[in-house]
Amino acid sequence: MAQVLRRRGRIQVKVDKREREALIGIIDSLSPRLAAPLASAPRAYDDAKLQAEYDRWVRPDIEKGREVDLTMVRDALSAGEDTLPLTEAQTLAWLRAFNHLRVAAGEILGIEGDGWEDTATDATKQKPEYGVLIALGYLQEELVAALDS
């Protein structure tokens, strides 16, 4: 499994070729789903008219930022290096990208809120998206711990 370290003030993500390919595969398989509005996407307003205005003015910037984050992760993984040094800003982009991917995987699994781990059925645990949630969650925890150290 990928290893995250903090050395000389920078975050280092150590991933082998197989792990890089798996992460790129996750990005490639879930990013098209992110282009469509997600049912679980947070709503800013209960009022439909205000939400429509929000979507019109703010959503494009959110989507652009998401694409930038995903591209940053994909480019780093595609470089073919086993050790990827990340700045704090890049680490935050990785965290956001992984969060978007986890939301998409969670939607596929029908997850609607916290506590889903306790009620996940065996059928849910057999789906590839379940493994994606676990793996990306682990990487997010490691990245956050490295930022805090």
Side-chain angles (χ1 to χ4, degrees), residues 3 21-22 30 33 39 46 52 69 95 97 104 115 135 141-142 144 149:
Q3 184 180 24
E21 289 172 353
L30 292 177
R33 187 162 186 92
D46 291 330
D69 292 340
L95 287 168
E141 287 177 21
E142 293 295 305
V144 169
S149 65

Side-chain angles (χ1 to χ4, degrees), residues 81-115:
E81 300 294 327
D82 287 347
T83 301
L84 307 172
L86 302 177
T87 64
E88 187 172 315
Q90 290 169 320
T91 303
L92 293 172
W94 279 53
L95 287 168
R96 289 189 303 267
F98 289 165
N99 194 58
H100 290 301
L101 295 168
R102 291 184 78 223
V103 167
E107 181 156 305
I108 292 168
L109 294 172
I111 295 171
E112 296 179 2
D114 292 335

Side-chain angles (χ1 to χ4, degrees), residues 54-73:
Y54 175 85
D55 288 341
R56 179 176 163 221
W57 291 103
V58 178
R59 188 74 57 200
D61 287 338
I62 292 171
E63 291 171 2
K64 185 177 179 181
R66 180 188 66 228
E67 286 305 315
V68 168
D69 292 340
L70 289 169
T71 298
M72 181 181 295
V73 174

Side-chain angles (χ1 to χ4, degrees), residues 2 5 11 25 40 43 45 76-77 81 90 94 103 105 108 118 128 149:
L5 308 165
I11 309 295
S40 58
R43 295 185 51 83
Y45 299 97
L77 294 168
E81 300 294 327
Q90 290 169 320
W94 279 53
V103 167
I108 292 168
D118 299 331
S149 65

Side-chain angles (χ1 to χ4, degrees), residues 11-30:
I11 309 295
Q12 291 182 348
V13 178
K14 294 185 177 241
V15 287
D16 63 26
K17 181 180 180 185
R18 183 181 53 80
E19 292 164 336
R20 287 192 308 274
E21 289 172 353
L23 287 169
I24 291 169
I26 290 168
I27 293 169
D28 290 344
S29 68
L30 292 177

